[in-house]
Amino acid sequence: MTTSVLPAAGALGVLGGMGPLASAEFLRTLYAGEWHGPEQSRPRVLLDSDPAFPDRTEAIRQGRAREMTERLEDRLSQLLERGADQVVVVCFTAHHFLPLVDPVLRGRVVSLVETTAAELAGATGRFLMLSTDGSRRARIFESQPGWDAVAHRVVRPGEDDQARVHRLIYRMKRYGPLPHEALPEVERLMQRQDCTGVVLGCTEFHLVSRDLTERYGPDRTVDALRTLAVRFSAGLPAPQRLVSSLPTSATR
């Protein structure tokens, strides 16, 4: 199934709040892009920012799939009822639970994981993966159909470095962009792993995406939120949806 172009009269749904600063930054990226036309030509966006979602990493660790699934279904239903044509769930770790969501609802979700895989397929070099412990534990990226084709170019930090990445993510959740912390840490990890690029596998890193892109270039900074913002602002289709076929170890 192929995602259609967002109609001019339609709306893009954004399910955020996980954390709230990342979803707010996604809207800024969307509207700050290059536009050829008046303000009125820009897309309508329906944002549901719900910080009360349970911590996704803890939900995976504790097996709280039903709670997460029910909340996702409720919020997705509300966005679609309000007129959203497609929905972006601004949290990679939450994608672990999407295969449990009603197929009618999840069929309207544009997958960040799928978008990341598509971007990597067109890139070259070794890329450092920056993600939460929950995403890593659940093998969210590895479960993506077609990931095997790019997996040999994606490097995971070691156990200690992964713990540092996870702590940095939660500091950005609390304090917002921390480029003076994030950039040196990313640079250190990239050098240690002999990587030429970076995968922003947690939406919190979108807060420093502009800084990372300026340092490494857009071809070396894989940021699904930036990619979708550019495509939606240009009226282009999102990557083909495969989220409905993702396997998952979660159970209701």
Side-chain angles (χ1 to χ4, degrees), residues 31-57:
Y31 284 128
E34 183 176 352
W35 292 90
H36 302 284
E39 176 183 282
Q40 290 74 17
S41 66
R42 302 186 183 189
R44 177 183 174 215
V45 178
L46 300 174
L47 170 63
D48 183 346
S49 182
D50 182 10
F53 263 94
D55 182 283
R56 278 64 64 197
T57 291

Side-chain angles (χ1 to χ4, degrees), residues 43-234:
R44 177 183 174 215
V45 178
L46 300 174
L47 170 63
D48 183 346
S49 182
D50 182 10
F53 263 94
D55 182 283
R56 278 64 64 197
T57 291
E58 290 305 310
I60 290 171
R61 286 172 175 163
Q62 298 170 11
R64 296 162 61 188
R66 180 180 293 276
E67 179 182 359
M68 280 294 303
T69 302
E70 290 177 351
R71 198 176 191 96
L72 283 167
E73 289 182 338
D74 178 63
R75 295 297 184 269
L76 290 171
S77 295
Q78 290 186 32
L79 282 168
L80 295 174
E81 288 171 1
R82 290 165 55 196
D85 296 297
Q86 303 170 42
V87 179
V88 176
V89 178
V90 187
C91 177
F92 277 98
T93 314
H95 280 55
H96 173 65
F97 304 97
L98 286 177
L100 297 176
V101 168
D102 185 307
V104 175
L105 298 175
R106 74 172 182 250
R108 306 284 284 277
V109 173
V110 180
S111 170
L112 298 183
V113 180
E114 186 175 325
T115 301
T116 300
E119 288 295 295
L120 282 168
T124 58
R126 286 164 55 88
F127 287 78
L128 175 71
M129 172 63 75
L130 301 173
S131 68
T132 64
D133 289 349
S135 289
R136 183 166 182 166
R137 179 187 182 99
R139 296 179 60 80
I140 290 171
F141 291 92
E142 291 81 356
S143 298
Q144 167 67 38
W147 187 258
D148 289 347
V150 299
H152 65 287
R153 292 191 287 105
V154 179
V155 180
R156 291 281 192 179
E159 184 176 346
D160 290 343
D161 286 333
Q162 172 60 38
R164 292 170 66 95
V165 170
H166 190 79
R167 287 195 296 270
L168 176 60
I169 288 170
Y170 277 74
R171 281 183 56 75
M172 289 193 290
K173 282 180 180 292
R174 182 172 183 179
Y175 299 111
L178 297 171
H180 297 301
E181 290 186 31
L183 271 62
E185 185 67 29
V186 171
E187 179 72 19
R188 183 186 69 82
L189 291 173
M190 289 179 64
Q191 291 180 354
R192 174 177 290 189
Q193 300 293 341
D194 192 26
C195 290
T196 57
V198 62
V199 178
L200 308 191
C202 173
T203 53
E204 234 59 48
F205 276 102
H206 186 64
L207 295 171
V208 291
S209 178
R210 282 179 292 170
D211 301 280
L212 291 169
T213 301
E214 287 178 2
R215 176 170 294 194
Y216 302 114
D219 294 336
R220 300 297 183 189
T221 308
V222 176
D223 178 2
L225 290 180
R226 183 192 66 207
T227 297
L228 291 178
V230 170
R231 297 187 71 85
F232 285 132
S233 65

